């Protein structure tokens, strides 16, 4: 585990915020279906097997909230979850499917890009990376898209409990170096484990801060 960049008061405020009710709002398959909202949003992006649903569930302290988006027909939509009527967590379509056709993949990638370009209330995108593998070539395309869209984004390492602390420290260092020259990337890399629970408090605090909300 790495040392928390937040004080105890901020971490507790984040815990209280996400202890409030969270609900699935809708899934949008087309850009025209995206909800018109003035509430602040943060979006989660990443490979289809990186553990986005597990991380969202860990953040809101619920076991199956994000699984609502895994029902047939919703898996590749932009899914919206509301936290206590104060902010939205947005689950973007995964990328890197080995079995999906190029046409299908492009359709969902374009939906994600349209969302990123057209959301003035989007405060940050969190790009999830498997800590066991670090940044890969496939991750460069979404980072390029975020840079071009000028959307502030931050790398969140998932499944960080699956590797040893010394190895995790190396992955964090390499990841920070990998985003250092990217114009829209936040320099702080967060390491999380949905299963073990570490890093979740810091992610909650970060979301609370960028969305400028209080519990």
């Amino acid at each position: 585990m790495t040392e928390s960049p937040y004080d105890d008061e901020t971490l507790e405020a984040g815990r209280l915020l996400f202890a409030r009710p969270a609900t699935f709002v809708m899934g949008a398959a087309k850009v025209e279906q995206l909800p018109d909202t003035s509430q602040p949003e943060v979006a989660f992006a990443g490979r289809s097997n990186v553990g986005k649903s597990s991380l969202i569930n860990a953040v809101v302290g619920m076991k199956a909230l994000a699984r609502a988006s895994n029902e047939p027909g919703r898996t590749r939509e932009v899914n919206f979850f509301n936290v206590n009527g104060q902010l939205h967590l947005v689950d973007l379509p995964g990328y890197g499917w080995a079995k999906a056709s190029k046409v299908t993949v492009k359709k969902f990638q374009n939906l994600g890009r349209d969302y990123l370009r057209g959301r003035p209330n989007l405060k940050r995108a969190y790009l999830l990376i498997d800590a066991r593998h670090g940044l890969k070539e496939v991750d460069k395309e979404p980072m390029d898209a975020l840079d071009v869209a000028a959307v502030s984004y931050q790398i969140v390492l998932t499944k960080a409990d699956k590797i040893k602390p010394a190895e995790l420290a190396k992955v964090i260092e390499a990841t920070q170096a990998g985003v250092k020259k990217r114009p829209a990337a936040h320099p702080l890399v967060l390491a999380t484990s949905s299963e073990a629970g570490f890093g979740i408090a810091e992610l909650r605090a970060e979301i609370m801060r960028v969305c400028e909300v209080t519990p």
Side-chain angles (χ1 to χ4, degrees), residues 16-61:
L16 289 172
L17 174 64
F18 286 97
R20 306 290 168 77
T23 56
F24 174 69
V25 178
M26 66 169 294
K30 300 177 181 178
V31 68
E32 301 82 41
Q33 297 172 341
L34 295 174
D36 181 17
T37 174
S38 59
Q39 289 185 355
E41 295 176 354
V42 294
F44 294 82
R47 290 186 62 129
S48 52
N49 59 350
V50 78
K52 279 195 289 110
S53 294
S54 296
L55 186 66
I56 292 171
N57 287 334
V59 167
V60 299

Side-chain angles (χ1 to χ4, degrees), residues 46-112:
R47 290 186 62 129
S48 52
N49 59 350
V50 78
K52 279 195 289 110
S53 294
S54 296
L55 186 66
I56 292 171
N57 287 334
V59 167
V60 299
M62 298 171 68
K63 291 184 177 180
L65 177 69
R67 290 199 185 112
S69 67
N70 287 336
E71 295 171 6
R74 285 184 179 169
T75 54
R76 295 168 187 177
E77 297 177 342
V78 175
N79 292 286
F80 290 79
F81 305 95
N82 187 274
V83 178
N84 196 42
Q86 291 180 274
L87 63 97
H88 280 108
L89 305 180
V90 184
D91 187 2
L92 297 179
Y95 59 87
W97 302 291
K99 296 180 181 178
S101 72
K102 290 183 179 180
V103 173
T104 300
V105 170
K106 193 156 190 68
K107 174 184 174 184
F108 301 122
Q109 286 178 338
N110 287 342
L111 175 61

Side-chain angles (χ1 to χ4, degrees), residues 154-175:
Q154 186 169 10
I155 303 295
V156 177
L157 299 174
T158 61
K159 308 178 185 181
D161 60 313
K162 305 299 183 184
I163 58 177
K164 295 179 179 179
E167 190 178 348
L168 176 59
K170 290 180 180 178
V171 173
I172 292 173
E173 184 178 357
T175 305

Side-chain angles (χ1 to χ4, degrees), residues 136-150:
K136 296 293 185 184
E137 191 68 28
V138 70
D139 301 311
K140 290 183 179 180
E141 188 173 352
M143 288 195 292
D144 289 344
L146 289 161
D147 285 331
V148 170

